[in-house]
Amino acid sequence: MSALPKLTLFNDNVLSRYQIYNSIFVTLPFDTIRDTGVLLPLFQKMCEKGFEKGKNPTEIIETFFKKYQDNPSKKEQIDLLFHFIKYIERLVVLFDAIEDAAFPIVNNMEGFGTLRNSKETAILSNKKEQLKKYLEEFKVRIVLTAHPTQFYPGSVLGIITDLDKAIQNDDLLLIKKLLAQLGKTPFYKKKKPTPFDEAVSLIWYLENVFYDSVSNIYNYIQDNIYDGNPTENEIIDLGFWPGGDRDGNPFVTTQITLDVAEKLRQSILRSYYGDVRKLKRRFTFTGVEEILTRIEKRLYKHVVRSYTKVNFSQKILLSELEKIREIIKNDHNSLFIEEINDFINKVRIFGFHFASLDIRQDSRVHHKAFTQIVDDLLATGDTTFPKNYHNLSAEDQIELLSTIKGEIDPEILTDEMSVKTIESIYALKTIQQRNGERGANRYIISNNQTALNVMQTFAMLNLCGFENELPVDVIPLFETVDDLENSENVMRTLYSNRAYRHHLSKRKNKQTIMLGFSDGTKDGGYLMANWGIFKAKEALTKVSREFDIEVIFFDGRGGPPARGGGKTHQFYASLGPTIEDKEIQLTIQGQTISSNFGTKNSAQYNLEQLLSSGIKNEVFTKDQISTKHRKLIEDLASTSYQTYVDFKNHPQFLPYLEKMSTLKYYAKTNIGSRPSKRSNSDTLDFSQLRAIPFVGSWSQLKQNVPGFFGVGTALKKYEDSGKFDEIVDFYNASDFFKTLLENSMMSLTKSFFGLTSYMSEDEEFGEFWKLIYEEYKTTKRLLLKLTGHSTLMENYPVGKASIEMRENIVLPLLTIQQYALKKVQDLQKSGGNEKEIIVFEKMVMRSLFGNINASRNSA
């Protein structure tokens, strides 16, 4: 590993290479418009200088056409802007590929936060046995979701992968060809993807990245921490939402759920088939070759011929592989035994499911569906429920639901949603029969508010003919500020229920609880969402320990800081002894998948960072917040919350988002299969608005409100009262508080108010824009004062350099987007030509994509 500073390595291996390959890219002839690649750098400079001089996007673009074009027509101007968009989209891909290629050079793959570092630290601290014991239970679960924040089609992902390799090899001829291919490959999807399409896109990562990187980590732990002995713990689990996440997505059908599960099964068996073919080249020994041929034939039936009979399983395959290992060990001097060990480990980790498919639905949908199920059963004369069920108290309903058993026939149900809900549970049973129990054994209830929400789901599962014990974890998802505060009472009620407690005893006395950052931030602002979740975890840990239950927290963390993202591993490393941490579970979505887990190197590095954060917190150090500091953050969160709520209740809040941002265009793009809001209403209802378009719209404006609003006001309260030193002391003493504010600084770094400063003069929204800008300035000033830095992210120079370069690449794109938005607004006000409006709306939509991908976590 080079001793050069990380920033020097980044500059040499990323920025310098980008300048070289960019110069090749912009000279390639992609289109009929002459010299687009030559004009783009000129436009880039004009944007930079224009904003420095306080010009608005319209002035910048009009000046550009006057200076560099010979009296162009409207059509020529629009065509050139669309070609700029096309070029910039691909420049983002080029930068992604270069950064990915340089990842193992810039990041020390054996340095701090890696498993090698953790192992050596444990040995030096005489804690290797403690580390081994901890890893016997500790797990990391990465759950891939299809939230609509990335649009790269599979063809582009393939080009990125090939570019990555070509750049590592300095193969200029191949790089030039790949750049030419990139220029001619469509990015824009003409049709919305189906949930199955989304699943196929993410399975690409399972096959090409996780299959090897996860097993590499397990192999390292087995060889270097367990001294070659296997551990029963898989250590890393993979989860999967596309095809199972029904919350707000009417396009997820029972058939799609089954199809996705089968696709996952086929994908892992295809990967095994490829490995068996490779093993046959090595194990040409008597007694081994015959078994491998037998395995190969069985895999061939299931993969190539889509064999439908369930006569092959993980258990059978492992039994065959163990026979091979014994023969090699006893008869062939353990020759190439590491290769069979690797394959056995893969089969143990991935089974016949590859990734566990989670089923998720909203509690409000469940309640309505369940109510109708009761009515339909009563109408047929069924006695499962008493006739007065709906009049019973919630307590009595819970008691009754805990003992319900049966096998309901979906044919008797009169309501479409009731049928879909029951069918999804039967699908879960089918998946378990084909893929094994780990194929689908979790049912998540989003927007969970009460214990009754959980017990209705529990009862529906038990009404679907599961014999003996229920092989499914029922997982409540608490999201809003109020629901987080009430979560302890909900779980106490459930733990006190004898039947539910018995169910948990059969699930290894473990209860998974999901906590959602997205809606928490949308509901209560940045500080309150994070502190509210921290407190909820403490309360839930306490009540779970009281009932001898091991609680596992599943974080809906998303990509940007506003959705719980940012420096994720540092966040987990900062949790103290008051929060259960036997497992780390989190969702990964959109461009966070490609940025953190897009290559084998980056996936292995970031998975190891997550593993090491748990190890650090449990084996080495515990970061505990003192009573004094708890009062401090409680007050900060309360002040921030009130500031954010007042802002959210401002009469111009929703109109500003609706008229001045890209919010409504998210629904019109073909990025994801899911609608941008839960209801079909034409009017904008904040409670029905999904967190992703909400956060994303602020990001497109370069006003990352959800990641900072209220933080500055909360800090200013202490500055005004002469108590700012207390905040400084807290920041220096607590890793949790430090990580929280550093992630907020990332949101500030990705903000650029010069882009929209023209809005300050707007007759309707000028004062509202100024309100946001003042909070931004206050937050930035006080965070710099708190840290003692002169610039944001000063202590993360590589991250800062990467953000600055990405923001620079998309500056022309942002300029074009604001120009188009303003054109749409002006044309609508003046009753302008409808065709013109459509063209500029298309320009807004097309510019969304490059901005989204460049930011890598949307804020």
Side-chain angles (χ1 to χ4, degrees):
M1 178 65 199
S2 173
L4 292 171
K6 281 184 75 170
L7 184 59
T8 302
L9 292 170
F10 181 83
N11 289 337
D12 291 347
N13 293 278
V14 179
L15 296 187
S16 296
R17 280 184 169 182
Y18 175 74
Q19 299 302 335
I20 294 166
Y21 299 142
N22 180 33
S23 65
I24 297 170
F25 182 76
V26 295
T27 58
L28 294 173
F30 296 135
D31 49 65
T32 53
I33 291 190
R34 202 173 162 194
D35 296 332
T36 308
V38 175
L39 290 169
L40 181 56
L42 298 173
F43 181 53
Q44 168 86 36
K45 284 292 178 190
M46 186 155 281
C47 291
E48 289 176 25
K49 291 179 180 177
F51 286 120
E52 282 174 12
K53 294 176 181 177
K55 290 186 176 182
N56 64 50
T58 302
E59 290 172 332
I60 290 169
I61 287 176
E62 288 177 350
T63 303
F64 171 78
F65 281 122
K66 282 178 186 174
K67 187 171 182 180
Y68 293 109
Q69 297 279 279
D70 185 16
N71 197 26
S73 66
K74 274 188 179 180
K75 184 181 182 306
E76 287 172 332
Q77 291 181 26
I78 287 168
D79 284 348
L80 183 58
L81 292 177
F82 271 113
H83 278 83
F84 281 165
I85 291 170
K86 179 181 175 181
Y87 262 73
I88 295 164
E89 284 174 344
R90 285 153 178 80
L91 289 178
V92 172
V93 172
L94 174 61
F95 190 79
D96 280 351
I98 293 168
E99 204 166 34
D100 287 344
F103 190 91
I105 300 170
V106 176
N107 297 278
N108 186 349
M109 301 294 286
E110 297 181 349
F112 184 78
T114 63
L115 282 172
R116 178 167 182 168
N117 176 258
S118 294
K119 181 203 73 173
E120 290 174 351
T121 304
I123 291 170
L124 289 170
S125 309
N126 204 24
K127 290 184 175 181
K128 188 179 178 185
E129 289 304 312
Q130 193 177 339
L131 174 61
K132 286 168 70 174
K133 188 177 178 182
Y134 182 63
L135 285 174
E136 285 171 8
E137 295 184 359
F138 180 64
K139 280 188 181 182
V140 167
R141 179 187 285 252
I142 298 293
V143 180
L144 306 182
T145 77
H147 294 327
T149 55
Q150 170 139 0
F151 76 102
Y152 288 151
S155 54
V156 175
L157 289 173
I159 295 171
I160 293 174
T161 302
D162 293 341
L163 258 178
D164 177 347
K165 291 175 184 173
I167 290 166
Q168 287 186 57
N169 296 327
D170 283 324
D171 189 341
L172 283 172
L173 182 60
L174 180 57
I175 290 167
K176 188 170 181 178
K177 287 181 178 180
L178 289 168
L179 290 176
Q181 181 189 0
L182 187 66
K184 294 177 179 293
T185 301
F187 275 43
Y188 186 72
K189 295 176 182 176
K190 293 179 180 177
K191 293 193 303 183
K192 267 185 175 292
T194 66
F196 185 78
D197 295 332
E198 291 171 330
V200 170
S201 294
L202 288 190
I203 287 170
W204 185 93
Y205 290 99
L206 295 179
E207 292 177 332
N208 293 281
V209 178
F210 288 102
Y211 183 68
D212 287 319
S213 59
V214 170
S215 64
N216 286 343
I217 290 171
Y218 185 91
N219 293 342
Y220 181 87
I221 291 171
Q222 184 182 67
D223 294 340
N224 296 279
I225 295 174
Y226 286 94
D227 303 317
N229 299 309
T231 169
E232 292 302 310
N233 182 20
E234 294 85 12
I235 298 174
I236 297 174
D237 280 337
L238 298 177
F240 205 76
W241 273 15
D245 184 7
R246 293 169 170 264
D247 180 13
N249 194 338
F251 307 112
V252 177
T253 64
T254 302
Q255 191 57 52
I256 279 181
T257 301
L258 291 168
D259 288 346
V260 169
E262 184 58 22
K263 181 68 177 175
L264 285 164
R265 181 175 173 274
Q266 292 285 320
S267 297
I268 190 58
L269 295 184
R270 188 184 302 112
S271 296
Y272 292 162
Y273 182 73
D275 274 359
V276 169
R277 303 270 294 181
K278 291 174 187 174
L279 288 172
K280 286 188 75 178
R281 292 171 64 91
R282 290 282 176 266
F283 298 113
T284 51
F285 322 139
T286 303
V288 175
E289 192 174 21
E290 293 85 348
I291 301 175
L292 283 173
T293 299
R294 189 161 67 232
I295 293 171
E296 182 185 20
K297 285 179 180 178
R298 297 193 80 168
L299 286 169
Y300 182 85
K301 279 184 181 180
H302 285 264
V303 175
V304 180
R305 292 169 56 189
S306 298
Y307 203 59
T308 55
K309 287 186 180 179
V310 184
N311 63 348
F312 195 32
S313 66
Q314 177 190 23
K315 186 177 179 181
I316 294 170
L317 179 54
L318 281 173
S319 174
E320 295 277 61
L321 294 174
E322 290 291 354
K323 289 176 191 173
I324 292 174
R325 180 158 61 181
E326 283 304 305
I327 294 170
I328 295 167
K329 192 174 170 183
N330 297 328
D331 300 344
H332 302 290
N333 302 318
S334 296
L335 187 60
F336 296 125
I337 199 166
E338 66 281 355
E339 295 190 27
I340 199 72
N341 284 339
D342 174 62
F343 190 33
I344 289 171
N345 290 340
K346 283 174 179 172
V347 176
R348 291 187 68 251
I349 294 165
F350 302 119
F352 273 35
H353 64 286
F354 216 157
S356 300
L357 187 64
D358 288 348
I359 308 295
R360 184 173 79 130
Q361 184 56 281
D362 189 283
S363 67
R364 293 163 291 192
V365 174
H366 268 175
H367 179 73
K368 188 177 176 184
F370 186 75
T371 301
Q372 190 60 50
I373 288 170
V374 174
D375 290 343
D376 287 341
L377 286 171
L378 289 171
T380 64
D382 188 284
T383 57
T384 304
F385 295 92
K387 291 180 180 179
N388 68 337
Y389 172 80
H390 294 310
N391 296 323
L392 296 176
S393 66
E395 291 77 12
D396 289 341
Q397 286 184 349
I398 287 170
E399 193 59 38
L400 178 68
L401 294 175
S402 67
T403 58
I404 293 288
K405 282 275 187 183
E407 190 159 0
I408 193 170
D409 181 0
E411 293 290 326
I412 70 164
L413 302 177
T414 59
D415 174 64
E416 185 185 6
M417 186 52 70
S418 300
V419 173
K420 287 179 177 178
T421 303
I422 293 299
E423 283 184 344
S424 71
I425 296 172
Y426 279 116
L428 190 150
K429 284 182 69 179
T430 302
I431 294 166
Q432 288 196 359
Q433 288 164 5
R434 287 190 63 76
N435 296 18
E437 188 200 300
R438 287 165 67 202
N441 63 357
R442 302 176 4 139
Y443 202 116
I444 300 163
I445 311 142
S446 53
N447 191 49
N448 197 96
Q449 299 176 339
T450 66
L452 185 60
N453 293 151
V454 176
M455 293 309 294
Q456 285 174 339
T457 306
F458 185 67
M460 282 191 283
L461 285 160
N462 279 313
L463 280 169
C464 290
F466 282 103
E467 295 177 8
N468 303 318
E469 306 303 337
L470 180 64
V472 180
D473 295 323
V474 186
I475 303 175
L477 164 53
F478 301 106
E479 300 180 78
T480 67
V481 172
D482 289 342
D483 291 344
L484 288 166
E485 289 180 353
N486 191 43
S487 60
E488 179 188 2
N489 293 330
V490 169
M491 297 314 299
R492 181 175 292 279
T493 301
L494 293 171
Y495 292 156
S496 301
N497 182 279
R498 280 188 303 171
Y500 190 78
R501 181 65 185 81
H502 175 74
H503 165 67
L504 290 180
S505 72
K506 300 300 180 181
R507 302 300 291 167
K508 300 181 179 178
N509 285 313
K510 293 182 178 183
Q511 170 68 57
T512 303
I513 298 173
M514 189 172 181
L515 303 164
F517 278 81
S518 302
D519 284 293
T521 310
K522 176 175 156 261
D523 180 51
Y526 181 72
L527 276 184
M528 180 57 86
N530 281 276
W531 179 236
I533 285 171
F534 189 94
K535 286 195 300 178
K537 283 186 174 181
E538 287 190 319
L540 291 166
T541 297
K542 186 178 178 183
V543 71
S544 299
R545 288 173 177 171
E546 184 184 326
F547 284 86
D548 293 323
I549 301 294
E550 182 184 309
V551 66
I552 297 165
F553 294 115
F554 175 24
D555 292 315
R557 294 188 65 85
R563 301 189 64 239
K567 298 172 181 66
T568 307
H569 59 278
Q570 288 186 10
F571 170 82
Y572 284 113
S574 72
L575 301 180
T578 54
I579 292 176
E580 198 71 75
D581 62 349
K582 289 285 177 65
E583 292 192 26
I584 289 175
Q585 297 191 8
L586 70 159
T587 56
I588 304 291
Q589 53 80 36
Q591 67 279 54
T592 309
I593 296 172
S594 60
S595 61
N596 289 356
F597 303 94
T599 67
K600 291 175 187 177
N601 283 322
S602 62
Q604 184 167 334
Y605 180 83
N606 284 299
L607 284 168
E608 286 192 22
Q609 292 288 317
L610 284 171
L611 280 167
S612 296
S613 68
I615 292 166
K616 176 181 180 291
N617 193 30
E618 183 63 30
V619 179
F620 300 125
T621 58
K622 285 279 189 183
D623 180 45
Q624 193 160 3
I625 301 175
S626 68
T627 303
K628 181 176 110 176
H629 289 155
R630 290 182 75 88
K631 289 178 182 176
L632 198 57
I633 194 168
E634 189 71 52
D635 186 54
L636 286 167
S638 178
T639 303
S640 174
Y641 175 66
Q642 193 54 56
T643 304
Y644 178 79
V645 169
D646 290 345
F647 172 66
K648 192 174 69 174
N649 292 334
H650 193 291
Q652 288 184 315
F653 181 82
L654 284 179
Y656 180 81
L657 270 179
E658 200 165 18
K659 296 178 184 177
M660 306 301 278
S661 81
T662 58
L663 182 66
K664 64 183 179 183
Y665 297 100
Y666 269 82
K668 297 178 181 181
T669 60
N670 294 323
I671 299 175
S673 69
R674 199 162 62 164
S676 62
K677 54 185 180 179
R678 287 182 168 90
S679 70
N680 295 320
S681 171
D682 290 333
T683 58
L684 182 58
D685 179 351
F686 186 75
S687 66
Q688 295 295 323
L689 178 62
R690 288 201 165 277
I692 288 171
F694 173 73
V695 172
S697 296
W698 289 112
S699 176
Q700 296 279 325
L701 281 169
K702 290 296 153 187
Q703 303 169 11
N704 291 312
V705 161
F708 73 81
F709 202 93
V711 176
T713 298
L715 294 174
K716 192 171 186 299
K717 175 183 174 181
Y718 281 79
E719 183 186 52
D720 291 345
S721 62
K723 296 179 180 177
F724 199 74
D725 284 349
E726 294 180 19
I727 306 292
V728 175
D729 176 61
F730 184 21
Y731 177 83
N732 290 328
S734 169
D735 286 343
F736 171 76
F737 189 52
K738 184 177 289 184
T739 302
L740 197 63
L741 295 186
E742 284 178 347
N743 282 339
S744 187
M745 281 191 262
M746 186 189 294
S747 291
L748 293 170
T749 303
K750 293 184 179 183
S751 297
F752 175 49
F753 280 81
L755 178 71
T756 56
S757 61
Y758 71 92
M759 293 182 187
S760 64
E761 306 298 323
D762 188 88
E763 193 174 318
E764 184 178 359
F765 295 110
E767 291 306 311
F768 188 74
W769 184 91
K770 290 174 186 173
L771 175 69
I772 300 168
Y773 185 45
E774 285 304 315
E775 182 66 16
Y776 162 81
K777 288 195 295 183
T778 301
T779 306
K780 181 179 177 180
R781 178 179 67 81
L782 290 174
L783 284 178
L784 290 175
K785 179 180 179 180
L786 172 62
T787 57
H789 295 161
S790 56
T791 58
L792 294 168
M793 294 183 69
E794 192 175 294
N795 52 335
Y796 294 98
V798 172
K800 181 181 172 67
S802 177
I803 289 171
E804 285 176 351
M805 192 64 214
R806 290 175 177 278
E807 296 298 314
N808 183 263
I809 290 169
V810 296
L811 184 63
L813 201 57
L814 292 162
T815 307
I816 292 168
Q817 185 183 81
Q818 285 299 314
Y819 167 76
L821 276 170
K822 189 73 170 66
K823 283 286 186 184
V824 171
Q825 292 160 11
D826 291 345
L827 286 165
Q828 287 174 339
K829 283 177 186 175
S830 63
N833 186 301
E834 189 63 32
K835 286 184 179 178
E836 261 195 284
I837 293 174
I838 290 170
V839 168
F840 284 113
E841 285 192 324
K842 184 183 176 185
M843 193 176 286
V844 173
M845 283 187 284
R846 283 301 308 275
S847 60
L848 278 171
F849 303 136
N851 293 333
I852 286 170
N853 285 301
S855 64
R856 284 217 152 180
N857 63 15
S858 285

